[in-house]
């Protein structure tokens, strides 16, 4: 069977399975449960056949999400036990992040010894991040004030559960959290921003030492970066299993019916994120001149991983590798991507603005526009560095409720569907950071989509070797 035939078979069987499920759900005609089960698994079998013919990692990840959802729906007990596979995948991805960030940042800074460019990229990145996240904040504010998703909600009777107490962070604590006191501790705790700060200072220091002392460390960091990219490729072979297991656990734990609960809040978030993508990120991409089709192909794998695992950190290694293949220099990818993971959380920022106002609406607290602005601008500071941990934004939300005297019981309502919301906001985080990296590369005049960076580096290295060889020959002949 050819690829087109396999694709047509998959579409046909999925259409039949969806049609039967629709007829059964709305009681249009009685459909036997065995027939429904058989139709769904037949559709999955044709999807797997299409995946074998296609041979694409992205295709397999998407198919695994469908298979995972079906296993979670039909066999929830088995699905609950599959969480260990998704945790294995997450652990293997997280172990890549620290050495990859260190190697790419140090080599990117010290390898070029252009410290002025590092400073330029720094202020350009921060400026871009603040503008885009501010727009995300206002879109979230407008969306929740239009939908009024929290209005009319009453506290559940007999609510005795207690969420963990989260003391509000002071300004000094937020600033101190940026700087590492022990790099091993920062690596162990997954503190991306602290690893970035250490790596930047280390790279600057390395650029300042003599060449005979600098070159061994440069060669080490370059080799380490290459090894970690290959490490990522090896781990990615396990991605379909890890992603499928994550979806199976989610559906098995919460059920497909969870999609019907709190639909208004979910719809508000998804619509707001979609508006942000179309009204903010797409115009930026078009204005800057980003090749949209190539960009979508490059981010397909990272976004799929982020959506399924609800962790931006899990998507980081693959996103960095794909952007470099797309034509963004490694020194820019290594600087902008991890920095954006702390300062450019577009999806999380939008969500936190929306969720904090939802809590106040559910509690019956009418906030003025100025009060709402104070809350969301506070969130801009307190949300830094939460990208690495799934659902860490709940901790930020708890801290915000505590700081502004709001009750915490409405957060229980959000807790039930937080994973579904986390999937969307994490995906937008990854898309926003990938676009930011290309924007900064274009701003620096170093984006070459028609010629992968690896080829440019190889050409430069070969030219350098030729020049060195010629000069040594001239010296020896003299």
């Amino acid at each position: 069977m050819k690829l087109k035939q396999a694709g047509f078979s998959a579409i046909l069987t999925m259409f039949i399975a969806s049609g039967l499920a629709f007829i059964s759900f709305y009681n249009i005609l009685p459909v036997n449960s065995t027939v429904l089960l058989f139709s769904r698994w037949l559709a999955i079998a044709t999807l797997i056949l299409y995946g074998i013919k296609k041979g694409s990692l992205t295709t397999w990840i998407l198919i695994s999400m469908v298979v995972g959802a079906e296993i979670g729906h039909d066999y929830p007990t088995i699905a609950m036990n599959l969480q260990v596979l998704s945790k294995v995948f997450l652990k293997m991805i997280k172990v890549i992040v620290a050495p990859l960030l260190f190697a790419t940042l140090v080599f990117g800074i010290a390898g070029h010894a252009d410290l002025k460019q590092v400073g330029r990229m720094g202020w350009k990145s921060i400026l871009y991040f603040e503008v885009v996240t501010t727009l995300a904040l206002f879109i979230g504010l407008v969306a929740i004030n239009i939908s009024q998703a929290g209005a009319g909600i009453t506290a559940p009777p007999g609510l005795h559960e207690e969420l963990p107490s989260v003391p509000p962070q002071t300004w000094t604590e937020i600033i101190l959290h940026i700087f590492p006191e022990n790099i091993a501790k920062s690596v162990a705790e997954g503190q991306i921003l602290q690893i970035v700060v250490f790596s930047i200072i280390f790279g600057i220091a390395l650029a300042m030492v003599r060449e005979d002392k600098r070159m061994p460390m440069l060669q080490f960091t370059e080799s380490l970066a290459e090894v970690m990219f290959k490490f990522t490729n090896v781990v990615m072979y396990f991605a379909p299993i890890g992603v499928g297991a994550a979806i199976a656990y989610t559906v098995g734990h919460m059920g497909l019916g969870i999609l019907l609960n709190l639909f208004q809040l979910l719809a508000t978030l998804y619509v707001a994120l979609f508006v942000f993508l179309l009204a903010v990120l797409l115009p930026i991409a078009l204005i800057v001149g980003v090749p949209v089709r190539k960009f979508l192909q490059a981010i397909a794998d990272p976004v799929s991983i982020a959506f399924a695992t609800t962790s931006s950190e899990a998507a980081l290694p693959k996103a960095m590798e794909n952007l470099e293949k797309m034509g963004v220099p490694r020194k820019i990818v290594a600087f902008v991507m991890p920095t954006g993971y702390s300062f450019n959380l577009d999806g999380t920022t939008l969500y936190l603005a929306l969720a904090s106002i939802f809590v106040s609406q559910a509690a019956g607290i009418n906030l003025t526009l100025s009060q709402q602005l104070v809350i969301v601008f506070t969130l801009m500071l307190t949300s830094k560095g939460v990208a690495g941990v799934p659902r860490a934004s709940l901790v930020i939300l708890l801290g915000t409720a505590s700081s502004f005297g709001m009750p915490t019981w409405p957060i229980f309502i959000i807790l039930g569907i937080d994973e579904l919301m986390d999937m969307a906001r994490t995906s937008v985080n990854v898309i926003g950071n990938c676009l930011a990296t290309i924007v900064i590369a274009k701003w620096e005049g170093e984006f070459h989509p028609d010629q992968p960076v690896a080829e440019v580096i190889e050409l430069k290295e070969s030219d350098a070797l030729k020049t060195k060889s010629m000069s040594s020959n001239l010296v020896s002949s003299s």
Side-chain angles (χ1 to χ4, degrees):
M1 185 180 286
K2 295 181 179 179
L3 179 63
K4 287 185 178 179
Q5 293 173 327
F8 177 76
S9 300
I11 293 171
L12 180 62
T13 52
M14 287 184 69
F15 178 78
I16 292 171
S18 301
L20 289 173
F22 180 84
I23 291 169
S24 174
F25 184 78
Y26 288 101
N27 295 317
I28 299 172
L29 289 172
V31 182
N32 189 281
S33 59
T34 306
V35 173
L36 289 172
L37 183 67
F38 177 78
S39 67
R40 292 197 300 268
W41 282 103
L42 179 63
I44 287 173
T46 56
L47 277 175
I48 292 172
L49 178 61
Y50 175 74
I52 294 170
K53 295 291 182 181
K54 182 74 172 176
S56 163
L57 180 63
T58 306
T59 304
W60 276 113
I61 289 174
L62 295 174
I63 291 171
S64 71
M65 292 171 73
V66 176
V67 175
E70 184 61 28
I71 291 173
H73 178 61
D74 292 338
Y75 312 105
T77 306
I78 296 174
M80 295 286 284
N81 295 323
L82 293 179
Q83 190 187 22
V84 64
L85 296 176
S86 63
K87 286 186 174 181
V88 167
F89 176 65
L90 270 178
K91 281 178 175 288
M92 293 305 294
I93 287 290
K94 286 182 177 181
V95 80
I96 298 169
V97 174
L100 180 63
L101 288 182
F102 174 78
T104 51
L105 270 172
V106 171
F107 180 75
I109 294 171
H112 296 80
D114 186 359
L115 300 184
K116 289 183 179 179
Q117 186 183 29
V118 176
R120 278 202 318 272
M121 287 194 298
W123 73 258
K124 288 176 180 177
S125 299
I126 295 298
L127 176 63
Y128 175 85
F129 296 161
E130 291 307 315
V131 170
V132 174
T133 51
T134 301
L135 292 173
L137 278 171
F138 282 108
I139 290 174
L141 266 185
V142 171
I144 192 65
N145 279 291
I146 290 174
S147 72
Q148 293 289 316
I153 295 177
T154 55
L159 182 65
H160 298 297
E161 293 182 79
E162 290 186 6
L163 290 169
S165 175
V166 181
Q169 283 188 310
T170 64
W171 291 85
T172 54
E173 288 173 334
I174 293 169
I175 294 170
L176 287 174
H177 186 70
I178 297 172
F179 299 95
E181 61 177 337
N182 184 323
I183 188 59
K185 181 183 177 184
S186 301
V187 170
E189 293 178 353
Q191 299 289 349
I192 291 179
L193 189 55
Q194 294 181 10
I195 296 169
V196 169
V197 169
F198 175 84
S199 302
I200 290 172
I201 297 173
F202 191 97
I204 292 171
L206 185 61
M208 296 170 69
V209 301
R210 293 199 318 266
E211 186 174 357
D212 60 323
K213 303 293 184 184
R214 183 171 71 245
M215 290 310 296
M217 182 59 73
L218 269 181
Q219 291 170 353
F220 167 73
T221 54
E222 184 180 20
S223 298
L224 179 60
E226 292 296 331
V227 170
M228 294 316 297
F229 279 126
K230 295 299 181 186
F231 191 107
T232 302
N233 290 339
V234 173
V235 173
M236 287 304 296
Y237 286 118
F238 189 68
I241 296 174
V243 168
I247 293 294
Y249 173 78
T250 302
V251 174
H253 176 62
M254 304 169 73
L256 288 173
I258 191 64
L259 296 173
L260 301 176
N261 299 328
L262 294 175
F263 175 76
Q264 192 175 3
L265 178 60
L266 268 177
T268 303
L269 177 67
Y270 276 73
V271 169
L273 290 172
F274 186 69
V275 169
F276 175 76
L277 290 173
L278 289 184
V280 178
L281 296 190
L282 181 60
I284 290 173
L286 295 176
I287 291 168
V288 173
V290 177
V292 177
R293 181 174 294 181
K294 283 187 177 181
F295 178 70
L296 293 176
Q297 290 172 348
I299 66 172
D301 283 354
V303 171
S304 300
I305 294 167
F307 183 84
T309 61
T310 67
S311 174
S312 303
E313 189 180 58
L316 177 61
K318 193 65 179 175
M320 292 177 70
E321 182 183 4
N322 287 1
L323 286 175
E324 192 175 334
K325 287 179 180 177
M326 191 179 170
V328 183
R330 177 174 295 179
K331 59 183 178 180
I332 295 179
V333 173
F335 182 86
V336 180
M337 278 294 289
T339 308
Y341 268 42
S342 288
F343 292 101
N344 190 41
L345 303 175
D346 301 331
T348 300
T349 305
L350 189 152
Y351 160 78
L352 286 170
L354 185 149
S356 58
I357 306 306
F358 171 86
V359 171
S360 70
Q361 289 176 353
I365 301 172
N366 295 319
L367 297 175
T368 63
L369 180 60
S370 60
Q371 289 174 319
Q372 292 185 24
L373 290 175
V374 170
I375 289 175
V376 295
F377 283 119
T378 303
L379 287 169
M380 281 188 68
L381 297 172
T382 57
S383 64
K384 305 308 179 191
V386 302
V389 185
R391 283 169 300 288
S393 52
L394 272 178
V395 176
I396 304 298
L397 196 56
L398 282 166
T400 304
S402 173
S403 299
F404 290 92
M406 292 187 285
T408 55
W409 67 260
I411 300 176
F412 278 111
I413 299 173
I414 298 174
L415 194 62
I417 56 165
D418 185 65
E419 188 154 350
L420 293 171
M421 294 192 289
D422 207 356
M423 290 174 174
R425 64 179 181 252
T426 304
S427 301
V428 173
N429 285 344
V430 174
I431 295 170
N433 280 317
C434 289
L435 179 61
T437 306
I438 296 178
V439 169
I440 301 303
K442 289 278 286 185
W443 203 344
E444 287 289 305
E446 296 194 34
F447 180 52
H448 309 287
D450 298 324
Q451 188 175 21
V453 173
E455 294 179 15
V456 177
I457 293 171
E458 286 174 9
L459 287 171
K460 287 181 179 179
E461 287 178 349
S462 62
D463 289 342
L465 288 171
K466 287 177 184 176
T467 305
K468 190 174 181 180
S469 176
M470 288 172 64
S471 61
S472 62
N473 289 336
L474 286 171
V475 171
S476 61
S477 62
S478 61

